[in-house]
Amino acid sequence: MNKICFFDTKPYDKMYFDLLKEAYGIEIDYFEPKLGPRTAFMANGYEAIVAFVNDTINKETIETLYQNGTRLIAMRCAGYNNVDFKAAYGKIHVVRVPAYSPYAVAEHAMALLLALNRKIHKAYIRTRDFNFSLNGLTGFDLHGKTVGVIGTGKIGRVFMDICKGFGMKVIAYDPYPLKDSDIHYVSLEELFKESDIISLHCPLTKDTFHLINEETIKMMKKGVYIVNTSRGALIDSEALLEGLKNEKIGGACLDVYEEESELFYEDMSYVVIQDDVLARILSMPNVIVTSHQAFLTKEALHNIAETTLKNCRDYFDDKVLENEVCYRCGRGEVCLRKENKRCF
Ligand code: NAI
């Protein structure tokens, strides 16, 4: 048995990891706090640790982990924009779960879009109060509308298939378009100009930071709906708020928010929220916010636990780390992993 520790534990994580841990010969100590510079000391003596999307895995955190003997960070998620890979390189291997259920995220994106467009969030509250009025609940047919998908990876492609099922016209942008596919690629500018709905499915990188901003919003159709189930900082929240206020943006479906790390996944209902932009966005009738829950299906939780535990097992067994990522291979550059070795 090898022992690992687990940061930012929630009951649903523990349930799925506990079901599978024995099969992988791994014991787990669960910690409630998020991983960051002030909590990294808790991993003292654990060679491998498990972390998540809103942990702060910066240079300081990595240095403390390394000094205390950690050599593997197993991210139980696909995205890794919160890891300082340069600081980790040569010291701590970083592995992730590249795919656990693109369906979970794509279906949630469509659920948000349908709910917002058909005002289900309003209707649900009204009928529970015996208010059966339909005033203000008018939506539009998705059929025949143009949806612009940014990022045609695993999740983007599932979302496109779902949209096609609704009879929507699907256009897409990706700097690395898939060869030999029937995807109708357009330039980013064309996508902004043509789309009735824009859905984000690209990673957060230097290039995609604030992809939706004051200038790009200006290019969009009046009344455009924006769906973001990817990463919060793809959208400049202040520009989004302005677009909603001046009604250029007709609706926003947000599973992620750029300043979510101190808020999402926690019960903040007794706290005075200091983020005025979020508070104002949440007050809009044409916005639905969920708390980074697009991944939350039974299938995804099972797959996350399975791949994370396998990643840890492979590390302890000195095997090649199939799901390792470093600052080189993460950007598609030459890396030892391409020769079927560990990144360093
Ligand atoms: P993927 O790696 O399969 O696809 C990402 C696609 O984005 C690739 O085709 C890539 O070429 C493209 N891309 C890269 N740079 C781009 C740019 N500048 N503009 C447009 N496209 C660009 O990733 P996958 O699995 O489809 O996930 C997409 C994103 O979804 C992840 O990066 C993550 O941030 C987010 N996600 C959110 C979850 C949630 O619970 N809300 C759960 C899982 C992932």
Side-chain angles (χ1 to χ4, degrees):
M1 282 276 180
N2 295 91
K3 207 179 221 185
I4 64 173
C5 74
F6 196 104
F7 281 89
D8 198 10
T9 311
K10 295 287 181 279
Y12 44 84
D13 296 318
K14 189 170 181 301
M15 192 170 130
Y16 284 86
F17 275 81
D18 278 351
L19 279 174
L20 294 171
K21 64 184 183 186
E22 260 182 53
Y24 286 91
I26 286 175
E27 269 181 60
I28 307 176
D29 284 339
Y30 293 102
F31 300 154
E32 223 176 272
K34 288 192 177 67
L35 173 62
R38 285 190 298 170
T39 54
F41 74 90
M42 295 173 76
N44 193 351
Y46 293 91
E47 202 176 333
I49 66 156
V50 176
F52 197 43
V53 284
N54 286 327
D55 291 329
T56 307
I57 311 174
N58 59 14
K59 198 174 173 188
E60 204 182 333
T61 304
I62 286 169
E63 210 42 55
T64 306
L65 291 173
Y66 182 67
Q67 294 303 332
N68 289 336
T70 298
R71 297 293 178 266
L72 180 79
I73 299 173
M75 301 298 293
R76 57 181 194 278
C77 50
Y80 43 77
N81 53 282
N82 54 332
V83 181
D84 183 337
F85 279 102
K86 285 220 165 142
Y89 193 78
K91 292 180 172 167
I92 302 183
H93 296 279
V94 181
V95 287
R96 65 171 184 140
V97 184
Y100 40 85
S101 172
Y103 310 103
V105 183
E107 287 170 15
H108 190 77
M110 182 49 92
L112 288 175
L113 176 58
L114 284 170
L116 188 70
N117 173 32
R118 302 308 298 269
K119 326 284 185 232
I120 306 297
H121 56 308
K122 296 272 169 201
Y124 173 77
I125 291 168
R126 275 192 199 180
T127 54
R128 287 176 74 88
D129 198 28
F130 303 97
N131 174 356
F132 300 111
S133 154
L134 297 185
N135 294 336
L137 300 187
T138 311
F140 56 81
D141 288 4
L142 290 183
H143 182 93
K145 296 293 181 299
T146 299
V147 58
V149 175
I150 302 185
T152 58
K154 293 175 284 296
I155 297 170
R157 292 203 299 278
V158 175
F159 185 72
M160 288 193 283
D161 285 344
I162 294 173
C163 291
K164 283 181 194 157
F166 277 83
M168 302 173 82
K169 183 182 168 201
V170 183
I171 58 175
Y173 168 77
D174 195 308
Y176 311 100
L178 280 175
K179 289 185 186 122
D180 304 324
S181 77
D182 60 355
I183 298 171
H184 180 25
Y185 285 107
V186 297
S187 69
L188 199 50
E189 194 175 331
E190 204 175 334
L191 185 144
F192 288 140
K193 285 183 180 159
E194 297 296 318
S195 302
D196 300 298
I197 295 138
I198 294 173
S199 194
L200 305 176
H201 299 289
C202 56
L204 174 62
T205 64
K206 266 190 265 155
D207 295 337
T208 59
F209 177 78
H210 285 185
L211 184 74
I212 306 295
N213 56 47
E214 196 185 335
E215 292 310 309
T216 54
I217 291 172
K218 273 187 200 151
M219 292 183 215
M220 295 176 195
K221 280 187 180 176
K222 184 168 165 52
V224 63
Y225 270 40
I226 296 178
V227 184
N228 189 6
T229 54
S230 252
R231 284 294 180 266
L234 296 175
I235 300 182
D236 175 345
S237 313
E238 290 191 17
L240 176 78
L241 175 58
E242 198 44 48
L244 285 160
K245 278 164 75 177
N246 64 32
E247 298 182 21
K248 176 80 189 240
I249 297 172
C253 306
L254 309 174
D255 185 50
V256 285
Y257 173 66
E258 63 177 326
E259 300 297 334
E260 72 178 47
S261 63
E262 295 301 315
L263 302 167
F264 283 17
Y265 299 128
E266 306 302 330
D267 179 1
M268 306 297 283
S269 55
Y270 299 97
V271 176
V272 177
I273 298 293
Q274 298 299 319
D275 185 331
D276 291 351
V277 175
L278 178 65
R280 184 71 176 101
I281 286 176
L282 276 169
S283 76
M284 302 271 180
N286 51 348
V287 173
I288 295 189
V289 174
T290 50
S291 177
H292 206 141
Q293 74 170 70
F295 72 99
L296 201 65
T297 65
K298 291 176 186 172
E299 292 79 1
L301 288 170
H302 172 90
N303 295 340
I304 288 170
E306 193 167 52
T307 307
T308 305
L309 289 166
K310 183 177 181 309
N311 286 340
C312 294
R313 188 72 263 148
D314 286 349
Y315 167 79
F316 287 120
D317 292 347
D318 286 325
K319 290 193 178 153
V320 170
L321 300 174
E322 203 186 316
N323 297 317
E324 184 170 15
V325 61
C326 70
Y327 77 97
R328 288 189 180 141
C329 58
R331 290 194 314 215
E333 289 177 19
V334 179
C335 169
L336 289 172
R337 201 160 75 79
K338 291 215 163 130
E339 296 165 23
N340 224 9
K341 294 184 185 148
R342 291 185 174 187
C343 291
F344 60 88

